[in-house]
């Protein structure tokens, strides 16, 4: 484990006079949602820094988002090959040292394969690819990525995957519940057979969060759900880094 | 070159909807009498050099860290005899 470089986030230090928060967005071969994620980061007011899976250098970002898609074609298991990329080795070290990391969909799968988050993702119980607006309840607002929500808040953001079924053993599930680490739960019906309706979880420290639905597709009223329920992920991390 | 086979199966307690879908299709295709199907993965590794304890230990490590996700899967490592099938 290496020490984390001090955050570069400052209120007025940026070249544009805006908040100078750098959020890295990782691209693996087969990543699909990196551009939407970069856009969501910018809409929230931070600088989006593209990161390439074969690099080792994190370009001094303050936080990292692993976006959705089908990295390495989901070969072997979703996220299993990406997890061993040079960049992920650095991200795993930094995440253990406290750097905020958000994994969305395939990014969540990479985080479970990396064992930064417990459990695993499997094929949806009905075997269908699902693409719809999904209602969630925000269960934890004490993570780096959810502070801008209120506990129990219901949000609606897109869900689109075929390997979305969250599984873990009973002991792990009980631990997650007891420690308040179930960050999001599906509402109005479980879309994929995830145990205990879990849509997303956090690590013990609250800096690493993973979820299957896509907040980055719900940041502008014009597109997606027509709501901006996903913007809170990106404003949460921005405020946390600025106030750090 | 010696061949080592790694079989990876979902743990018994993990729901396998793909296996279930295969099982449900069988009667429709005229294959009766199959009560359950579980679907897994088989990896055939062509090993350079001798398959000694050290090589097997490395393959075991490979299976544990990469070929299988031991959160949800079990694996088995088998050495195939170099004489080939009898």
């Amino acid at each position: 484990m290496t020490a984390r470089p001090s955050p570069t986030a400052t209120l007025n230090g940026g070249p544009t006079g805006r908040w100078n928060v750098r959020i890295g967005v990782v691209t693996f071969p087969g990543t699909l949602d990196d551009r939407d994620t970069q856009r969501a980061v910018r809409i929230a007011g931070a600088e989006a820094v593209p990161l390439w899976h074969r690099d080792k250098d994190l370009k001094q970002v303050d936080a990292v988002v692993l976006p959705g898609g089908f990295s390495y074609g989901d070969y072997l298991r979703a996220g299993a090959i990406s997890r061993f990329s040079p960049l992920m080795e650095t991200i795993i070290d930094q995440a253990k040292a406290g750097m905020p990391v958000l994994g969305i969909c395939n990014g969540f799968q990479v985080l479970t394969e990396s064992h930064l988050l417990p459990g695993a993702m499997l094929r949806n119980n009905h075997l269908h690819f699902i693409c719809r607006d999904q209602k969630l309840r925000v269960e934890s607002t004490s993570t780096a990525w959810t502070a801008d929500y209120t506990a129990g808040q219901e949000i609606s953001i897109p869900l689109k995957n075929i390997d979305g079924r969250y599984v873990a053993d009973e002991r792990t599930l009980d631990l997650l519940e007891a420690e308040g680490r179930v960050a999001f739960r599906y509402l109005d019906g479980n879309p994929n057979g995830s145990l205990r309706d879990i849509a997303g979880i956090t690590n013990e420290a609250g800096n690493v969060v993973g979820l299957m639905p896509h907040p980055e597709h719900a940041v502008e009223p014009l597109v997606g759900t027509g709501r901006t329920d996903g913007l809170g992920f990106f404003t949460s991390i921005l405020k946390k880094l600025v106030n750090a | 070159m010696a061949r080592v086979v790694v079989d990876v199966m979902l743990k018994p307690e993990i729901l396998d909807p793909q296996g279930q879908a295969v099982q449900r299709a069988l009667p429709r295709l005229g294959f009766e009498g199959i009560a359950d199907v579980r679907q897994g993965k088989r990896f055939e590794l062509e090993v350079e050099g001798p398959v000694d304890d050290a090589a097997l230990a490395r393959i075991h490590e490979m299976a544990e860290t990469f070929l299988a996700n031991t959160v949800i899967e079990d694996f088995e490592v088998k050495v195939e005899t170099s004489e080939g099938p009898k």
Side-chain angles (χ1 to χ4, degrees):
Chain A
M1 199 183 297
T2 52
R4 191 185 157 221
S6 53
T8 58
T10 53
L11 198 52
N12 291 305
T16 59
R18 302 174 67 194
W19 289 332
N20 184 24
V21 173
R22 290 165 59 82
I23 299 182
V25 178
V26 180
T27 301
F28 300 100
T31 296
L32 299 177
D33 299 325
D34 41 349
R35 299 295 291 267
D36 273 25
T37 304
Q38 291 168 19
R39 188 172 166 80
V41 164
R42 285 194 295 269
I43 288 171
E47 182 185 353
V49 180
L51 298 174
W52 181 236
H53 70 115
R54 288 181 70 173
D55 296 337
K56 276 203 81 88
D57 178 28
L58 283 180
K59 299 183 181 172
Q60 291 189 302
V61 296
D62 304 292
V64 165
V65 183
L66 305 173
F70 296 89
S71 60
Y72 289 92
D74 277 354
Y75 298 156
L76 188 59
R77 296 175 304 275
I81 298 179
S82 316
R83 170 258 175 275
F84 289 100
S85 65
L87 191 68
M88 274 311 298
E89 298 294 339
T90 309
I91 289 172
I92 290 166
D93 282 347
Q94 296 297 311
K96 286 177 179 169
M99 181 182 72
V101 178
L102 174 67
I104 302 167
C105 195
N106 192 222
F108 185 17
Q109 293 157 344
V110 173
L111 290 176
T112 58
E113 283 286 341
S114 306
H115 306 299
L116 285 173
L117 293 174
M121 311 304 305
L122 280 166
R123 188 60 48 100
N124 293 343
N125 59 348
H126 45 71
L127 299 177
H128 295 285
F129 191 97
I130 264 203
C131 186
R132 71 180 193 204
D133 295 338
Q134 177 66 46
K135 201 192 250 189
L136 308 175
R137 187 168 56 235
V138 181
E139 302 278 19
S140 171
T141 56
S142 55
T143 82
W145 300 90
T146 55
D148 258 4
Y149 295 99
T150 54
Q153 186 175 344
E154 295 184 4
I155 62 174
S156 181
I157 60 178
L159 178 72
K160 45 163 198 168
N161 62 64
I162 193 162
D163 289 315
R165 173 166 52 111
Y166 180 75
V167 298
D169 59 46
E170 285 296 307
R171 198 185 57 81
T172 303
L173 293 169
D174 288 343
L175 184 75
L176 288 173
E177 304 261 18
E179 294 182 344
R181 289 167 52 192
V182 176
F184 311 94
R185 237 183 275 265
Y186 295 115
L187 290 178
D188 297 347
N190 186 324
N192 47 32
S194 288
L195 296 178
R196 306 200 190 176
D197 298 335
I198 288 173
I201 56 174
T202 176
N203 68 345
E204 208 173 345
N207 62 308
V208 180
V209 170
L211 80 167
M212 285 315 292
H214 290 261
E216 82 284 11
H217 293 327
V219 295
E220 292 171 290
L222 186 63
V223 293
T225 56
R227 303 158 62 134
T228 57
D229 289 3
L231 192 57
F233 284 77
F234 304 96
T235 55
S236 293
I237 190 64
L238 184 66
K239 284 180 192 167
K240 180 182 173 57
L241 291 168
V242 167
N243 296 326
Chain B
M1 223 181 280
R3 171 178 290 180
V4 175
V5 172
V6 181
D7 282 319
V8 177
M9 289 298 296
L10 282 175
K11 292 184 177 196
E13 67 270 25
I14 303 282
L15 176 72
D16 176 16
Q18 294 180 100
Q20 286 179 345
V22 171
Q23 191 267 337
R24 282 195 299 268
L26 292 176
R28 192 156 42 81
L29 303 174
F31 300 105
E32 307 290 343
I34 305 298
D36 191 25
V37 175
R38 306 275 294 170
Q39 183 179 315
K41 295 186 187 117
R42 172 186 166 100
F43 300 88
E44 298 181 344
L45 312 175
E46 306 298 334
V47 182
E48 292 171 345
V51 182
D52 51 16
D53 286 353
L56 278 174
R58 286 293 285 167
I59 289 170
H60 198 274
E61 186 187 347
M62 176 205 308
E64 189 161 32
T65 54
F66 185 48
L67 300 182
N69 178 348
T70 54
V71 174
I72 46 171
E73 294 167 326
D74 296 322
F75 66 89
E76 204 180 335
V77 178
K78 285 178 286 194
V79 183
E80 291 206 340
T81 51
S82 49
E83 298 94 305
K86 299 198 169 66

